[in-house]
Amino acid sequence: MKSAKIILGTLAGVAIGVQIGLLIAPEKGKTTRKKLSKKGEGYLKEVNSQFDHLVKGVNERLDNMNKNISAVAEETKAKGKNLIAEAKDKTK
């Protein structure tokens, strides 16, 4: 959740920065647009990097959860088999 807030904050900051840059730009529009485009690409790369990091973290957590669930399922299955075997022995 914290990463999502960082990403949204970054995007908002970029948008505000672009607007302010256009309003107070001392150079021609074409030159300013090129500079802003290059800056925007840099910010976009940073946002993509943070998003990839967020996705990687979520995937790792999901993988760990799946491993834990599989381990619990196997353990439960083994205990169930043992209980069935004990019940069969007691009924004999």
Side-chain angles (χ1 to χ4, degrees):
M1 192 67 172
K2 185 176 180 182
S3 297
K5 288 181 182 180
I6 291 171
I7 291 170
L8 289 175
T10 302
L11 290 174
V14 168
I16 291 169
V18 167
Q19 290 175 351
I20 291 172
L22 289 173
L23 290 174
I24 62 172
E27 298 173 348
K28 290 183 178 183
K30 186 176 182 178
T31 306
T32 301
R33 284 190 297 274
K34 283 183 182 180
K35 285 183 178 181
L36 289 174
S37 177
K38 286 183 181 182
K39 284 279 189 186
E41 288 173 6
Y43 291 132
L44 184 60
K45 285 180 184 178
E46 178 63 27
V47 169
N48 282 336
S49 173
Q50 288 182 6
F51 183 74
D52 289 343
H53 181 72
L54 174 68
V55 169
K56 184 179 177 183
V58 169
N59 284 336
E60 287 175 356
R61 287 182 181 154
L62 287 174
D63 287 343
N64 287 337
M65 283 177 37
N66 284 335
K67 288 177 185 176
N68 289 339
I69 289 170
S70 294
V72 169
E74 288 297 320
E75 184 180 332
T76 304
K77 185 177 177 181
K79 286 182 180 180
K81 285 182 180 180
N82 287 339
L83 289 173
I84 290 171
E86 287 178 19
K88 284 182 181 179
D89 286 342
K90 288 182 180 179
T91 57
K92 288 183 181 181

Coordinates of all heavy atoms in Angstrom, one line a residue:
M1 N 0.8 -1.2 0.0 CA 0.0 0.0 0.0 C 0.9 1.3 0.0 O 0.6 2.2 -0.7 CB -0.9 0.0 1.2 CG -2.0 1.0 1.2 SD -3.1 0.5 -0.1 CE -4.4 1.7 0.2
K2 N 2.0 1.2 0.7 CA 2.9 2.4 0.8 C 3.5 2.6 -0.6 O 3.6 3.8 -1.0 CB 4.0 2.1 1.8 CG 4.9 3.3 2.1 CD 5.9 3.0 3.2 CE 6.8 4.2 3.4 NZ 7.8 3.9 4.4
S3 N 3.8 1.6 -1.3 CA 4.4 1.7 -2.6 C 3.4 2.4 -3.6 O 3.8 3.2 -4.4 CB 4.9 0.4 -3.2 OG 5.9 -0.2 -2.4
A4 N 2.2 2.0 -3.5 CA 1.1 2.5 -4.3 C 1.0 4.0 -4.1 O 0.8 4.8 -5.0 CB -0.2 1.8 -4.1
K5 N 1.1 4.4 -2.8 CA 1.0 5.9 -2.5 C 2.2 6.6 -3.1 O 2.1 7.7 -3.6 CB 0.9 6.1 -1.0 CG -0.4 5.7 -0.4 CD -0.4 5.9 1.1 CE -1.7 5.5 1.7 NZ -1.7 5.7 3.2
I6 N 3.4 6.0 -3.0 CA 4.6 6.6 -3.6 C 4.4 6.8 -5.1 O 4.7 7.9 -5.6 CB 5.8 5.8 -3.2 CG1 6.1 5.8 -1.8 CG2 7.0 6.2 -4.1 CD1 7.2 4.9 -1.3
I7 N 3.9 5.8 -5.7 CA 3.7 5.9 -7.2 C 2.7 7.0 -7.6 O 3.0 7.8 -8.4 CB 3.3 4.5 -7.8 CG1 4.4 3.5 -7.7 CG2 2.8 4.6 -9.2 CD1 4.1 2.1 -8.0
L8 N 1.6 7.0 -6.9 CA 0.6 8.0 -7.1 C 1.1 9.4 -6.8 O 0.9 10.4 -7.6 CB -0.7 7.8 -6.3 CG -1.5 6.6 -6.8 CD1 -2.7 6.3 -5.8 CD2 -2.0 6.7 -8.2
G9 N 1.9 9.6 -5.8 CA 2.5 10.8 -5.4 C 3.5 11.3 -6.5 O 3.6 12.5 -6.8
T10 N 4.3 10.3 -7.0 CA 5.2 10.6 -8.0 C 4.5 11.1 -9.3 O 4.9 12.1 -9.9 CB 6.1 9.4 -8.3 OG1 6.8 9.0 -7.2 CG2 7.1 9.7 -9.4
L11 N 3.5 10.4 -9.7 CA 2.7 10.8 -10.9 C 2.1 12.2 -10.7 O 2.1 13.0 -11.6 CB 1.6 9.8 -11.2 CG 2.1 8.4 -11.7 CD1 1.0 7.4 -11.8 CD2 2.8 8.6 -13.0
A12 N 1.6 12.5 -9.5 CA 1.0 13.8 -9.3 C 2.1 14.9 -9.3 O 1.8 15.9 -9.9 CB 0.3 13.8 -7.9
G13 N 3.2 14.6 -8.8 CA 4.3 15.5 -8.8 C 4.8 15.8 -10.2 O 5.1 17.0 -10.6
V14 N 4.9 14.8 -11.0 CA 5.3 15.0 -12.4 C 4.3 15.9 -13.2 O 4.6 16.8 -13.9 CB 5.4 13.6 -13.1 CG1 5.6 13.8 -14.6 CG2 6.6 12.9 -12.6
A15 N 3.0 15.6 -13.0 CA 1.9 16.3 -13.6 C 2.0 17.8 -13.2 O 1.9 18.7 -14.1 CB 0.6 15.8 -13.3
I16 N 2.1 18.1 -12.0 CA 2.2 19.4 -11.4 C 3.5 20.1 -12.0 O 3.4 21.3 -12.4 CB 2.2 19.5 -9.9 CG1 0.8 19.0 -9.4 CG2 2.5 20.8 -9.4 CD1 0.7 18.7 -8.0
G17 N 4.6 19.4 -12.0 CA 5.8 20.0 -12.5 C 5.8 20.3 -13.9 O 6.3 21.4 -14.3
V18 N 5.1 19.5 -14.7 CA 4.9 19.8 -16.1 C 4.1 21.1 -16.3 O 4.5 22.0 -17.1 CB 4.3 18.6 -16.9 CG1 3.8 19.1 -18.3 CG2 5.3 17.5 -17.0
Q19 N 3.1 21.2 -15.6 CA 2.2 22.4 -15.7 C 3.0 23.7 -15.3 O 2.9 24.7 -15.9 CB 0.9 22.2 -14.9 CG 0.0 21.2 -15.4 CD -1.2 20.9 -14.5 OE1 -1.2 21.4 -13.4 NE2 -2.1 20.1 -15.0
I20 N 3.7 23.6 -14.2 CA 4.4 24.8 -13.7 C 5.5 25.1 -14.7 O 5.8 26.3 -15.0 CB 5.0 24.5 -12.3 CG1 3.9 24.5 -11.3 CG2 6.0 25.6 -11.9 CD1 4.3 24.1 -9.9
G21 N 6.2 24.1 -15.2 CA 7.2 24.3 -16.2 C 6.7 25.0 -17.5 O 7.4 25.9 -18.0
L22 N 5.6 24.6 -17.9 CA 5.0 25.3 -19.1 C 4.6 26.7 -18.8 O 4.7 27.6 -19.7 CB 3.8 24.5 -19.6 CG 4.1 23.2 -20.3 CD1 2.8 22.4 -20.5 CD2 4.9 23.4 -21.5
L23 N 4.2 27.0 -17.6 CA 3.8 28.4 -17.3 C 4.9 29.3 -17.1 O 4.8 30.5 -17.5 CB 3.0 28.4 -15.9 CG 1.6 27.7 -16.0 CD1 1.0 27.7 -14.6 CD2 0.7 28.5 -17.0
I24 N 6.0 28.9 -16.6 CA 7.2 29.8 -16.3 C 8.4 29.6 -17.2 O 9.4 30.1 -16.9 CB 7.6 29.7 -14.8 CG1 8.1 28.3 -14.5 CG2 6.5 30.1 -13.9 CD1 8.7 28.2 -13.1
A25 N 8.2 28.8 -18.3 CA 9.3 28.5 -19.2 C 9.9 29.7 -19.8 O 9.1 30.5 -20.5 CB 8.8 27.5 -20.2
P26 N 11.2 30.0 -19.7 CA 11.8 31.2 -20.4 C 12.2 30.9 -21.8 O 12.6 31.8 -22.5 CB 13.0 31.4 -19.5 CG 13.4 30.0 -19.0 CD 12.1 29.3 -18.9
E27 N 12.1 29.7 -22.3 CA 12.5 29.4 -23.6 C 11.3 29.2 -24.5 O 10.2 29.2 -24.1 CB 13.4 28.1 -23.6 CG 14.6 28.3 -22.8 CD 15.4 26.9 -22.6 OE1 14.8 25.9 -22.9 OE2 16.5 27.0 -22.1
K28 N 11.6 28.9 -25.8 CA 10.6 28.7 -26.8 C 9.8 27.4 -26.4 O 10.3 26.5 -25.8 CB 11.2 28.5 -28.2 CG 11.7 29.8 -28.8 CD 12.2 29.6 -30.2 CE 12.7 30.8 -30.8 NZ 13.1 30.6 -32.2
G29 N 8.6 27.4 -26.9 CA 7.7 26.2 -26.6 C 8.3 24.9 -27.1 O 8.3 23.9 -26.4
K30 N 8.9 24.9 -28.3 CA 9.5 23.6 -28.8 C 10.6 23.1 -28.0 O 10.7 21.9 -27.6 CB 9.9 23.9 -30.2 CG 10.4 22.7 -31.0 CD 10.8 23.0 -32.4 CE 11.2 21.7 -33.1 NZ 11.5 22.0 -34.5
T31 N 11.5 24.0 -27.6 CA 12.6 23.7 -26.7 C 12.2 23.2 -25.3 O 12.6 22.2 -24.8 CB 13.6 24.9 -26.5 OG1 13.9 25.4 -27.8 CG2 14.8 24.5 -25.8
T32 N 11.2 23.9 -24.8 CA 10.6 23.5 -23.5 C 10.0 22.1 -23.6 O 10.2 21.3 -22.7 CB 9.6 24.6 -23.0 OG1 10.3 25.8 -23.0 CG2 9.1 24.2 -21.6
R33 N 9.2 21.9 -24.6 CA 8.6 20.6 -24.7 C 9.6 19.4 -24.8 O 9.4 18.4 -24.3 CB 7.6 20.6 -26.0 CG 6.3 21.4 -25.7 CD 5.3 21.1 -26.8 NE 5.8 21.6 -28.1 CZ 5.7 22.9 -28.6 NH1 5.1 23.8 -27.8 NH2 6.1 23.2 -29.7
K34 N 10.7 19.7 -25.5 CA 11.7 18.7 -25.6 C 12.3 18.4 -24.3 O 12.5 17.2 -23.9 CB 12.8 19.1 -26.6 CG 12.5 19.0 -28.1 CD 13.6 19.3 -28.9 CE 13.3 19.2 -30.4 NZ 14.4 19.6 -31.3
K35 N 12.6 19.4 -23.5 CA 13.2 19.2 -22.2 C 12.2 18.5 -21.3 O 12.6 17.6 -20.5 CB 13.6 20.6 -21.6 CG 14.8 21.2 -22.2 CD 15.2 22.5 -21.5 CE 16.5 23.1 -22.0 NZ 16.8 24.3 -21.3
L36 N 11.0 19.0 -21.3 CA 9.9 18.3 -20.5 C 9.7 16.9 -20.9 O 9.5 16.0 -20.0 CB 8.6 19.1 -20.6 CG 8.6 20.4 -19.9 CD1 7.3 21.2 -20.1 CD2 8.8 20.3 -18.4
S37 N 9.8 16.6 -22.2 CA 9.6 15.2 -22.6 C 10.8 14.3 -22.1 O 10.5 13.2 -21.6 CB 9.6 15.2 -24.2 OG 9.6 13.9 -24.7
K38 N 12.0 14.8 -22.1 CA 13.1 14.1 -21.6 C 13.0 13.9 -20.1 O 13.2 12.8 -19.6 CB 14.4 14.8 -22.0 CG 14.8 14.6 -23.4 CD 16.2 15.3 -23.7 CE 16.5 15.2 -25.2 NZ 17.8 15.7 -25.5
K39 N 12.6 14.9 -19.4 CA 12.4 14.8 -18.0 C 11.3 13.8 -17.7 O 11.4 12.9 -16.8 CB 12.0 16.1 -17.3 CG 13.2 17.0 -17.2 CD 13.9 16.7 -15.9 CE 15.0 17.8 -15.7 NZ 15.8 17.4 -14.6
G40 N 10.2 13.9 -18.5 CA 9.0 13.0 -18.3 C 9.4 11.5 -18.5 O 9.0 10.6 -17.8
E41 N 10.3 11.3 -19.5 CA 10.8 9.9 -19.7 C 11.6 9.4 -18.5 O 11.4 8.2 -18.2 CB 11.6 9.9 -21.0 CG 10.8 10.1 -22.3 CD 11.7 10.2 -23.5 OE1 12.9 10.1 -23.4 OE2 11.1 10.5 -24.6
G42 N 12.4 10.3 -18.0 CA 13.1 9.9 -16.8 C 12.2 9.5 -15.6 O 12.4 8.5 -14.9
Y43 N 11.2 10.4 -15.4 CA 10.2 10.1 -14.3 C 9.5 8.8 -14.6 O 9.2 8.0 -13.7 CB 9.3 11.3 -14.1 CG 9.9 12.5 -13.6 CD1 9.7 13.7 -14.1 CD2 10.8 12.4 -12.4 CE1 10.3 14.9 -13.6 CE2 11.4 13.6 -11.9 CZ 11.1 14.8 -12.5 OH 11.7 15.9 -12.0
L44 N 9.1 8.6 -15.9 CA 8.3 7.4 -16.2 C 9.2 6.2 -16.0 O 8.6 5.2 -15.5 CB 7.9 7.5 -17.7 CG 7.1 6.3 -18.2 CD1 5.7 6.3 -17.4 CD2 6.8 6.5 -19.7
K45 N 10.4 6.2 -16.3 CA 11.3 5.1 -16.0 C 11.4 4.8 -14.5 O 11.3 3.6 -14.1 CB 12.7 5.3 -16.5 CG 12.8 5.2 -18.0 CD 14.3 5.5 -18.5 CE 14.3 5.5 -20.0 NZ 15.7 5.8 -20.5
E46 N 11.4 5.9 -13.7 CA 11.5 5.7 -12.2 C 10.2 5.1 -11.7 O 10.2 4.2 -10.9 CB 11.7 7.0 -11.6 CG 11.7 7.0 -10.1 CD 12.8 6.1 -9.5 OE1 13.9 5.9 -10.1 OE2 12.6 5.6 -8.4
V47 N 9.1 5.6 -12.2 CA 7.8 5.0 -11.8 C 7.6 3.6 -12.2 O 7.2 2.7 -11.5 CB 6.6 5.9 -12.4 CG1 5.3 5.2 -12.2 CG2 6.6 7.3 -11.8
N48 N 8.1 3.3 -13.5 CA 8.0 1.9 -13.9 C 8.9 1.0 -13.1 O 8.5 -0.1 -12.7 CB 8.5 1.8 -15.4 CG 7.4 2.2 -16.3 OD1 6.2 2.2 -16.0 ND2 7.8 2.6 -17.5
S49 N 10.1 1.5 -12.7 CA 11.0 0.7 -11.8 C 10.3 0.4 -10.5 O 10.3 -0.7 -10.0 CB 12.3 1.5 -11.6 OG 13.1 0.9 -10.7
Q50 N 9.7 1.5 -9.9 CA 9.0 1.3 -8.6 C 7.8 0.3 -8.7 O 7.6 -0.5 -7.9 CB 8.5 2.6 -8.0 CG 9.6 3.5 -7.6 CD 9.1 4.8 -7.0 OE1 8.0 5.0 -6.8 NE2 10.1 5.7 -6.6
F51 N 7.1 0.4 -9.8 CA 6.0 -0.5 -10.1 C 6.4 -1.9 -10.2 O 5.8 -2.8 -9.7 CB 5.2 0.0 -11.3 CG 3.9 -0.8 -11.5 CD1 2.8 -0.7 -10.7 CD2 3.9 -1.8 -12.6 CE1 1.7 -1.4 -10.9 CE2 2.8 -2.5 -12.8 CZ 1.7 -2.4 -12.0
D52 N 7.5 -2.1 -11.0 CA 8.1 -3.4 -11.1 C 8.5 -4.0 -9.8 O 8.3 -5.2 -9.5 CB 9.3 -3.4 -12.1 CG 8.9 -3.2 -13.6 OD1 7.7 -3.4 -13.9 OD2 9.7 -2.8 -14.4
H53 N 9.1 -3.2 -9.0 CA 9.5 -3.6 -7.6 C 8.3 -4.0 -6.8 O 8.4 -5.0 -6.1 CB 10.3 -2.5 -7.0 CG 10.8 -2.8 -5.6 ND1 11.9 -3.7 -5.4 CD2 10.4 -2.4 -4.4 CE1 12.1 -3.8 -4.1 NE2 11.2 -3.0 -3.5
L54 N 7.3 -3.2 -6.9 CA 6.0 -3.5 -6.2 C 5.5 -4.9 -6.6 O 5.1 -5.7 -5.8 CB 5.0 -2.4 -6.4 CG 3.6 -2.6 -5.8 CD1 3.7 -2.7 -4.3 CD2 2.7 -1.6 -6.3
V55 N 5.4 -5.1 -7.9 CA 4.8 -6.3 -8.5 C 5.7 -7.5 -8.1 O 5.2 -8.6 -7.7 CB 4.7 -6.2 -10.0 CG1 4.4 -7.6 -10.7 CG2 3.6 -5.2 -10.4
K56 N 7.0 -7.3 -8.1 CA 7.9 -8.4 -7.7 C 7.7 -8.8 -6.3 O 7.7 -10.0 -5.9 CB 9.4 -7.9 -7.9 CG 10.4 -9.0 -7.6 CD 11.8 -8.5 -7.9 CE 12.8 -9.6 -7.5 NZ 14.2 -9.1 -7.7
G57 N 7.5 -7.8 -5.4 CA 7.3 -8.1 -4.0 C 6.0 -8.8 -3.8 O 5.9 -9.7 -3.0
V58 N 4.9 -8.4 -4.5 CA 3.6 -9.1 -4.4 C 3.8 -10.5 -4.9 O 3.2 -11.4 -4.3 CB 2.6 -8.3 -5.2 CG1 1.3 -9.1 -5.3 CG2 2.3 -7.0 -4.5
N59 N 4.5 -10.7 -6.0 CA 4.6 -12.1 -6.5 C 5.4 -12.9 -5.6 O 5.1 -14.1 -5.4 CB 5.3 -12.0 -7.9 CG 4.4 -11.6 -9.0 OD1 3.2 -11.7 -8.9 ND2 5.0 -11.1 -10.1
E60 N 6.4 -12.4 -4.9 CA 7.2 -13.2 -4.0 C 6.3 -13.6 -2.8 O 6.4 -14.7 -2.3 CB 8.4 -12.4 -3.5 CG 9.5 -12.3 -4.5 CD 10.6 -11.4 -4.1 OE1 10.6 -10.8 -3.0 OE2 11.6 -11.2 -4.8
R61 N 5.5 -12.6 -2.3 CA 4.6 -13.0 -1.2 C 3.6 -14.0 -1.6 O 3.3 -14.9 -0.8 CB 3.9 -11.7 -0.7 CG 4.8 -10.8 0.0 CD 4.1 -9.6 0.5 NE 5.1 -8.7 1.2 CZ 4.9 -7.4 1.4 NH1 3.8 -6.8 0.8 NH2 5.8 -6.7 2.0
L62 N 3.1 -13.9 -2.8 CA 2.1 -14.9 -3.3 C 2.8 -16.3 -3.4 O 2.2 -17.3 -3.0 CB 1.5 -14.5 -4.6 CG 0.5 -13.4 -4.5 CD1 0.1 -13.0 -6.0 CD2 -0.7 -13.8 -3.7
D63 N 4.0 -16.3 -3.9 CA 4.7 -17.6 -4.0 C 4.9 -18.2 -2.6 O 4.8 -19.4 -2.4 CB 6.1 -17.4 -4.7 CG 5.9 -17.2 -6.2 OD1 4.9 -17.5 -6.7 OD2 6.9 -16.7 -6.8
N64 N 5.3 -17.4 -1.6 CA 5.5 -17.9 -0.3 C 4.2 -18.4 0.3 O 4.2 -19.4 1.0 CB 6.1 -16.8 0.6 CG 7.5 -16.5 0.3 OD1 8.3 -17.3 -0.2 ND2 8.0 -15.3 0.7
M65 N 3.1 -17.7 0.1 CA 1.8 -18.2 0.6 C 1.5 -19.5 -0.1 O 1.0 -20.4 0.6 CB 0.7 -17.1 0.3 CG 0.8 -16.0 1.2 SD -0.5 -14.7 0.8 CE -1.9 -15.5 0.3
N66 N 1.7 -19.7 -1.4 CA 1.4 -20.9 -2.1 C 2.2 -22.1 -1.5 O 1.7 -23.2 -1.3 CB 1.6 -20.8 -3.6 CG 0.5 -20.0 -4.2 OD1 -0.6 -20.0 -3.8 ND2 0.8 -19.4 -5.4
K67 N 3.5 -21.8 -1.2 CA 4.4 -22.8 -0.6 C 3.8 -23.2 0.8 O 3.8 -24.4 1.1 CB 5.8 -22.3 -0.6 CG 6.5 -22.2 -1.9 CD 7.9 -21.7 -1.8 CE 8.5 -21.5 -3.1 NZ 9.8 -20.8 -3.0
N68 N 3.5 -22.2 1.5 CA 3.0 -22.5 2.9 C 1.7 -23.3 2.8 O 1.4 -24.2 3.6 CB 2.8 -21.2 3.7 CG 4.1 -20.6 4.1 OD1 5.1 -21.2 4.1 ND2 4.0 -19.3 4.3
I69 N 0.8 -22.9 1.9 CA -0.5 -23.6 1.8 C -0.2 -25.1 1.3 O -0.9 -26.0 1.9 CB -1.4 -22.9 0.8 CG1 -1.9 -21.6 1.4 CG2 -2.6 -23.8 0.3 CD1 -2.6 -20.7 0.4
S70 N 0.7 -25.3 0.4 CA 1.0 -26.6 0.0 C 1.6 -27.5 1.1 O 1.2 -28.6 1.3 CB 2.0 -26.6 -1.2 OG 1.5 -26.0 -2.3
A71 N 2.4 -26.8 1.9 CA 3.0 -27.6 3.0 C 2.0 -27.9 4.1 O 1.9 -29.1 4.6 CB 4.1 -26.7 3.7
V72 N 1.0 -27.0 4.3 CA 0.0 -27.3 5.3 C -0.9 -28.4 4.7 O -1.4 -29.3 5.5 CB -0.8 -26.0 5.6 CG1 -2.1 -26.4 6.4 CG2 0.0 -25.1 6.4
A73 N -1.2 -28.3 3.4 CA -2.1 -29.4 2.8 C -1.4 -30.7 2.9 O -2.1 -31.7 3.2 CB -2.4 -29.0 1.4
E74 N -0.1 -30.8 2.6 CA 0.6 -32.1 2.7 C 0.6 -32.6 4.1 O 0.4 -33.8 4.4 CB 2.0 -32.0 2.2 CG 2.1 -31.8 0.7 CD 1.5 -33.0 -0.1 OE1 1.8 -34.2 0.3 OE2 0.8 -32.8 -1.1
E75 N 0.8 -31.7 5.1 CA 0.8 -32.1 6.5 C -0.5 -32.6 6.9 O -0.7 -33.7 7.6 CB 1.3 -30.9 7.3 CG 1.4 -31.3 8.8 CD 1.8 -30.0 9.6 OE1 2.5 -29.2 9.0 OE2 1.5 -30.0 10.8
T76 N -1.6 -31.9 6.5 CA -2.9 -32.3 6.9 C -3.3 -33.7 6.2 O -3.9 -34.5 6.8 CB -3.9 -31.3 6.4 OG1 -3.6 -30.0 7.0 CG2 -5.3 -31.6 6.8
K77 N -2.9 -33.9 5.0 CA -3.1 -35.1 4.3 C -2.4 -36.3 5.0 O -3.0 -37.4 5.2 CB -2.6 -35.0 2.8 CG -2.9 -36.2 2.0 CD -2.4 -35.9 0.5 CE -2.6 -37.1 -0.4 NZ -2.1 -36.8 -1.7
A78 N -1.2 -36.1 5.4 CA -0.4 -37.1 6.1 C -1.1 -37.4 7.5 O -1.3 -38.6 7.8 CB 1.0 -36.7 6.3
K79 N -1.5 -36.4 8.2 CA -2.2 -36.7 9.5 C -3.5 -37.4 9.3 O -3.9 -38.3 10.0 CB -2.5 -35.3 10.2 CG -1.2 -34.7 10.8 CD -1.5 -33.4 11.5 CE -0.2 -32.9 12.1 NZ -0.5 -31.6 12.9
G80 N -4.2 -37.0 8.2 CA -5.5 -37.7 7.9 C -5.3 -39.2 7.6 O -6.0 -40.1 8.1
K81 N -4.2 -39.5 6.8 CA -3.9 -40.9 6.6 C -3.6 -41.7 7.8 O -4.0 -42.8 8.0 CB -2.8 -41.0 5.6 CG -3.2 -40.7 4.1 CD -2.0 -40.8 3.2 CE -2.4 -40.5 1.8 NZ -1.3 -40.6 0.8
N82 N -2.8 -41.0 8.7 CA -2.5 -41.6 10.0 C -3.7 -41.9 10.8 O -3.8 -43.0 11.4 CB -1.5 -40.8 10.8 CG -0.1 -40.8 10.2 OD1 0.3 -41.7 9.4 ND2 0.7 -39.8 10.5
L83 N -4.6 -40.9 10.9 CA -5.8 -41.1 11.7 C -6.7 -42.3 11.1 O -7.3 -43.0 11.8 CB -6.6 -39.8 11.7 CG -6.0 -38.7 12.6 CD1 -6.8 -37.4 12.4 CD2 -6.0 -39.1 14.0
I84 N -6.7 -42.3 9.8 CA -7.5 -43.4 9.1 C -6.9 -44.8 9.5 O -7.6 -45.7 9.8 CB -7.6 -43.2 7.6 CG1 -8.5 -42.0 7.3 CG2 -8.1 -44.4 6.9 CD1 -8.5 -41.6 5.9
A85 N -5.5 -44.8 9.4 CA -4.8 -46.1 9.7 C -5.1 -46.5 11.2 O -5.3 -47.7 11.5 CB -3.4 -45.9 9.4
E86 N -5.0 -45.5 12.1 CA -5.3 -45.8 13.5 C -6.7 -46.2 13.7 O -7.0 -47.2 14.5 CB -5.0 -44.5 14.3 CG -3.6 -44.2 14.5 CD -3.4 -42.9 15.3 OE1 -4.3 -42.5 16.0 OE2 -2.3 -42.3 15.2
A87 N -7.6 -45.6 13.0 CA -9.0 -46.0 13.2 C -9.3 -47.5 12.7 O -10.0 -48.3 13.3 CB -9.9 -45.1 12.4
K88 N -8.6 -47.8 11.6 CA -8.7 -49.2 11.0 C -8.1 -50.2 12.0 O -8.7 -51.3 12.2 CB -8.0 -49.3 9.7 CG -8.8 -48.7 8.5 CD -8.1 -48.8 7.2 CE -8.9 -48.2 6.1 NZ -8.2 -48.3 4.8
D89 N -7.0 -49.8 12.6 CA -6.4 -50.7 13.6 C -7.2 -51.0 14.8 O -7.3 -52.0 15.3 CB -5.0 -50.2 14.0 CG -3.9 -50.3 13.0 OD1 -4.1 -51.1 12.0 OD2 -2.9 -49.6 13.1
K90 N -7.9 -49.9 15.2 CA -8.8 -50.0 16.4 C -10.0 -50.8 16.1 O -10.6 -51.4 17.0 CB -9.1 -48.6 16.9 CG -7.9 -47.9 17.6 CD -8.3 -46.6 18.2 CE -7.1 -45.9 18.8 NZ -7.4 -44.6 19.3
T91 N -10.5 -50.8 14.9 CA -11.7 -51.5 14.6 C -11.5 -53.0 14.4 O -12.4 -53.8 14.4 CB -12.4 -50.9 13.3 OG1 -11.5 -51.0 12.2 CG2 -12.9 -49.5 13.6
K92 N -10.2 -53.4 14.3 CA -9.9 -54.8 14.1 C -10.0 -55.6 15.3 O -10.0 -55.4 16.4 CB -8.6 -55.0 13.4 CG -8.6 -54.5 12.0 CD -7.2 -54.8 11.4 CE -7.2 -54.4 9.9 NZ -5.9 -54.6 9.3

